[in-house]
Every structure is written in structure tokens, then in C-alpha cells.
Amino acid sequence: MSNYNEMWRSLGLNMTVHDQLMQVLPPTYHDVYLMQPNRPQGMEYFDFVVNEIHGLRIQELQEHKKAGGKVIGAFCVFVPEEIVRAAGGICIGLCSGIDIGTAEAEKVLPRNICPLIKSFMGFKLGKVCPYFESCDMVVGETTCDGKKKAFEILNDYIPVHVMETPHMKKSRDRELWLEEVKDFAHMVEKATGHNITANDLAKAIKEVNGKRQALQRLAELRKQDPAPISGKDSLLIEQIAMYDDVTRFTAKVNELCNELEKKVQASKGVFPSRTPRVIVTGTPMAIPNWKVPHIIETSGAVIVAEELCTGLRYFENEVAEDVQTMDGLLENIAGRCLGVNCAVFTPNTGRIERLLQLVEDYQADGVIHCALSFCDPYTVEANRVENVLKQHKIPLLKIETGYDQEDTGQLKTRIEAFIEMIS
Ligand code: SF4
Ligand code: SF4
């Protein structure tokens, strides 16, 4: 990697803590990713992206800003990337998958709050994330109480626009959300100084749908046995989807899929045929939270799908492209979000129906429900998931964990026992 120290300093990063972070990532990545056997060649691009995680992409964001563009950060798949793109901005997902800024975060947050919230607050207060420091503003949402209140505090450090997300899917909730999407479009126009035309928006929708279609193609290939790609590599791609350049990323995923199609034709996989197949569901796994997938895939199973926002929930619904008017396009954007089966919805039967369908489509032998500690929406909803899977005699393992590594041994024992049971 080139020397980016000057750029990081100019962003105001805390160089000591940032250096610590940069020292942790490469060895972890080597052990978790590069040691996997039979990796597809197309993963080289994604390895390169991670290797340059705080380098090249940040440089691109800085160049975009120098040319007058804006960078807007988001924390949830409800935030419509298409609108930011249509206004000539760049929308990036802020990851928050590591507990490096905990001490700073605990100065303003209670100790018992989910690690994802603690992580993003720690990143901002500790000045360790160049993505965060590249953002002109961030967009929050009211998907859970912890986030909702944390965004008020975050607003003391960076401008935050909050979208009020509905918690039900009734017609009045749809109306509320459409109004929020329209307000968001106005806010983005003001922030970027760029009036969005229907043509801009239609083009941006097509491009972001193209990214979703490439990811759907990858997901489709994972239905095969033997699996042509590991769950860890797939998760990594899904995580990178949130901050990489849209058209470049789409092309690279499609290239990888071309390679995987050939592997499928030749019955070549990354694990032997009949390896136990697992679906992971629950709280999103932000980069670099790879703990549970790594344990699963080094304990004799392969992950074939993620019912997560860092997974299918991110890309399986597309924005309909059947209209050309501004109002129609905004309605279609709002409609797509309401197809996301986030646990903040009540009731959220769609998620459970989808899980049952996935088990059948992917010929899964079991489901692992992984929720972050103190994440009420997912830890409580695990009860519903458990009851329905039991009725359908689908084996389930429920896990609650954080970003620390202290429970790794205990998780490994439980996951190994589960995999043995479903083998
Ligand atoms: S789990 Fe819910 S709140 Fe979290 S990213 Fe997904 S949709 Fe947003
Ligand atoms: S992981 Fe759960 S508690 Fe944490 S921000 Fe997401 S929904 Fe809220």
C-alpha cells in the first residue's frame, strides 16, 4: 500500500489509534481470508480493496470532494443511495464492525448498548475512521431506540439528518415513509447544490439496481453443491458493496460470477460436495466483523446465504423501473425499502416466511441466528424465528455475541456441536 499518512493527517485522524487499527487488520485478514483453500481468482479484486481499505477509496472520495462533490454516510439499508447518486454525491455505508473506539464511546453512551452503536460513536469521537472523516454529513434513521438517541449525540460532532422509518407496513406508514424519502431528496439537493431531475434519478436507480442484480447472480450461484464460493468471501463482497464505486464493483462481481459459473459447470467447489449447509440470519455483520462466519466455516460447514442486511436484505429487492416521473420514481424507491424484513417492523412475518423459503431454495441443513448483544429487535425476534423453525423441524442455533474475541472458544464449541448434529 502507498504511503497515505499525509492524507490521513489532513483528515484529522488520531494517528496513534489509527496505526493500531491498521496493525490489527492485515494479520486478521490473512488468517480469516487468505488462508482459505481453492479461492476463486476473482477474489483478488476484493482482497485489493481490503488491502487499500483506508487508502485508494479514501483518495477517490477526497478527489470527488475537491471537485465540489459531497460524501454522505449512512448506517442502514433504508437510506436511498439512488437519491445521493442522482445528485452527484457519493453515498457510503459506515461500517462499525470493530470495538476500537469503545473507551471514547462510553464517555457519551451507556455501557450496555449494542456494539454497533458504540462502534460508530467510538469511530467518530476517536477520529479513527477516514470514511467517517470524509463525510460531509451522515444520515441516521429511527430503526431502533438506541440508534435514534445516539444520532442526537452524534449530531454534536457531525451534521446528521434523521429519517423517520416506519415500524409497521400499513398504508399510513407507507405515506409517512414516502414523505420522509421526499424530504431526504430535498435535503440532498440542498447539501449538494444539485437539483435532481427525473432523468438523473432514473439513471441512478438503474445503476444501483445493476449492483443488486450482480449480487443476486452471486447469491443464485451459491445454491449449488459443491458451493463455488465460501460464505466468508460472499459476506466480504456484500460488505464492500456498501462503500465501493458502484459501476466498478458491479463489473467485478459479474466477472467473479463468470468464473464461478465455469466452476459450477465443472462441479468444482471450495468445500467438498455434501458439506453441511448453513444459513446465517440476524443482525447485520459490518466489516470487519467476521468472527462467527469464520468459526462456522472452520468447523466443517459452509454458509450458503445471509438473511442479513449485509446479505440478501441489501440486494434482493430492486427499485421498480416502470415509471419516468419524479413522483413515481420516489414512490418506487420508498416502496423498495418497505420490502426489507428488518426486525424493527412489527409484525415481521415476512422475515420468517423468507427464511423458510431460503432453507428450501438453498437446501440448507440448519440456521444460525446471530444477534449482537443488546440488540433488542433481533434478540427478541429470535423467539419467533425459533418457534416457526421448530414447527418445520429445521435445526436452529441461537447466538448472542459482541465484537470482542473473548467468547470465541465457547462459540466454537457450540457451533461445532450444532454442525455435528446437522451433518
Ligand atoms: S437491520 Fe434494520 S436497522 Fe439495521 S441496517 Fe438492516 S434495515 Fe437498517
Ligand atoms: S444492531 Fe440492533 S440495537 Fe444495534 S443498531 Fe442495529 S437494530 Fe439497533
Side-chain angles (χ1 to χ4, degrees):
M1 191 161 82
S2 320
N3 190 339
Y4 293 108
N5 280 342
E6 203 181 308
M7 177 176 77
W8 293 333
R9 269 196 206 97
S10 72
L11 285 169
L13 293 187
N14 178 331
M15 295 299 280
T16 315
V17 188
H18 184 254
D19 283 352
Q20 284 166 12
L21 178 62
M22 296 315 278
Q23 276 158 18
V24 175
L25 266 179
T28 309
Y29 193 73
H30 177 267
D31 295 351
V32 174
Y33 279 95
L34 302 183
M35 298 302 284
Q36 295 178 98
N38 310 321
R39 289 182 86 211
Q41 252 184 353
M43 284 310 296
E44 269 174 22
Y45 170 72
F46 302 97
D47 290 338
F48 168 76
V49 172
V50 175
N51 191 35
E52 284 282 338
I53 194 160
H54 283 187
L56 211 55
R57 184 66 179 138
I58 299 297
Q59 202 169 51
E60 287 177 353
L61 298 181
Q62 294 311 312
E63 279 159 14
H64 170 77
K65 281 161 73 89
K66 264 189 214 136
K70 298 286 178 203
V71 176
I72 298 184
F75 301 92
C76 172
V77 303
F78 276 21
V79 177
E81 176 179 4
E82 296 86 351
I83 292 178
V84 179
R85 198 169 170 78
I90 296 181
C91 183
I92 50 167
L94 293 169
C95 51
S96 323
I98 190 167
D99 56 358
I100 198 139
T102 306
E104 286 295 321
E106 286 180 359
K107 289 181 185 164
V108 295
L109 292 173
R111 291 191 67 208
N112 292 348
I113 198 163
C114 103
L116 195 147
I117 297 175
K118 222 184 247 190
S119 174
F120 75 64
M121 199 62 96
F123 274 14
K124 184 64 204 163
L125 267 61
K127 289 187 169 288
V128 285
C129 174
Y131 289 92
F132 227 136
E133 299 313 309
S134 298
C135 286
D136 296 289
M137 62 177 305
V138 297
V139 189
E141 11 65 44
T142 57
T143 44
C144 76
D145 287 347
K147 263 187 178 175
K148 185 170 76 183
K149 300 309 289 180
F151 289 133
E152 291 174 19
I153 302 172
L154 188 63
N155 192 41
D156 294 341
Y157 303 89
I158 184 169
V160 182
H161 172 86
V162 175
M163 298 182 81
E164 184 175 354
T165 48
H167 292 184
M168 294 184 133
K169 295 185 182 179
K170 295 179 184 170
S171 58
R172 57 176 172 261
D173 301 299
R174 289 177 187 275
E175 279 165 32
L176 163 99
W177 180 238
L178 177 57
E179 288 309 309
E180 286 295 309
V181 170
K182 286 180 179 168
D183 282 357
F184 179 66
H186 291 140
M187 186 283 293
V188 170
E189 285 183 323
K190 221 168 123 194
T192 55
H194 182 119
N195 280 337
I196 302 170
T197 65
N199 271 350
D200 292 333
L201 195 52
K203 182 167 174 276
I205 287 173
K206 228 183 193 11
E207 287 162 347
V208 180
N209 275 345
K211 167 164 74 168
R212 295 187 182 112
Q213 285 154 9
L215 289 165
Q216 285 164 19
R217 193 176 157 205
L218 177 66
E220 210 40 47
L221 284 160
R222 295 171 68 196
K223 289 183 179 166
Q224 304 298 322
D225 181 35
I229 185 166
S230 70
K232 279 193 292 183
D233 278 336
S234 306
L235 174 65
L236 183 75
I237 294 168
E238 290 154 355
Q239 291 171 332
I240 290 174
M242 299 192 178
Y243 70 89
D244 199 9
D245 174 74
V246 175
T247 44
R248 179 177 59 207
F249 174 86
T250 305
K252 291 296 176 185
V253 176
N254 278 320
E255 264 174 40
L256 173 73
C257 289
N258 295 342
E259 181 190 343
L260 297 186
E261 273 167 7
K262 290 199 189 106
K263 279 188 189 270
V264 166
Q265 275 162 15
S267 290
K268 283 194 181 148
V270 285
F271 292 93
S273 177
R274 310 190 69 80
T275 296
R277 298 165 71 83
V278 163
I279 289 175
V280 175
T281 183
T283 315
M285 294 177 176
I287 202 167
N289 178 14
W290 305 308
K291 180 171 69 176
V292 171
H294 183 54
I295 297 175
I296 296 171
E297 293 202 328
T298 49
S299 301
V302 55
I303 300 166
V304 288
E306 299 77 28
E307 196 284 313
L308 302 172
C309 285
T310 42
L312 284 154
R313 283 186 231 134
Y314 177 69
F315 57 80
E316 64 182 354
N317 305 314
E318 289 174 36
V319 176
E321 294 178 21
D322 57 348
V323 289
Q324 292 302 323
T325 62
M326 193 61 157
D327 279 351
L329 293 167
L330 290 172
E331 257 173 56
N332 287 356
I333 287 175
R336 187 202 87 85
C337 300
L338 288 164
V340 174
N341 295 317
C342 173
V344 302
F345 284 112
T346 181
N348 193 26
T349 42
R351 175 172 169 227
I352 295 162
E353 283 159 14
R354 184 72 188 115
L355 248 184
L356 291 176
Q357 187 65 48
L358 288 174
V359 171
E360 198 180 315
D361 292 351
Y362 284 80
Q363 301 282 302
D365 300 293
V367 174
I368 297 187
H369 190 292
C370 182
L372 283 177
S373 19
F374 306 111
C375 169
D376 289 346
Y378 284 93
T379 49
V380 176
E381 196 163 284
N383 168 279
R384 285 278 161 276
V385 173
E386 184 173 28
N387 287 346
V388 178
L389 292 194
K390 207 180 261 172
Q391 281 163 23
H392 288 79
K393 300 195 174 17
I394 298 165
L396 170 78
L397 176 68
K398 281 194 304 180
I399 288 171
E400 247 182 85
T401 184
Y403 292 163
D404 59 86
Q405 301 298 321
E406 281 157 26
D407 59 354
T408 304
Q410 191 207 55
L411 285 177
K412 189 153 177 64
T413 308
R414 291 182 61 207
I415 290 171
E416 278 173 354
F418 179 71
I419 293 171
E420 198 167 326
M421 198 252 296
I422 61 173
S423 298

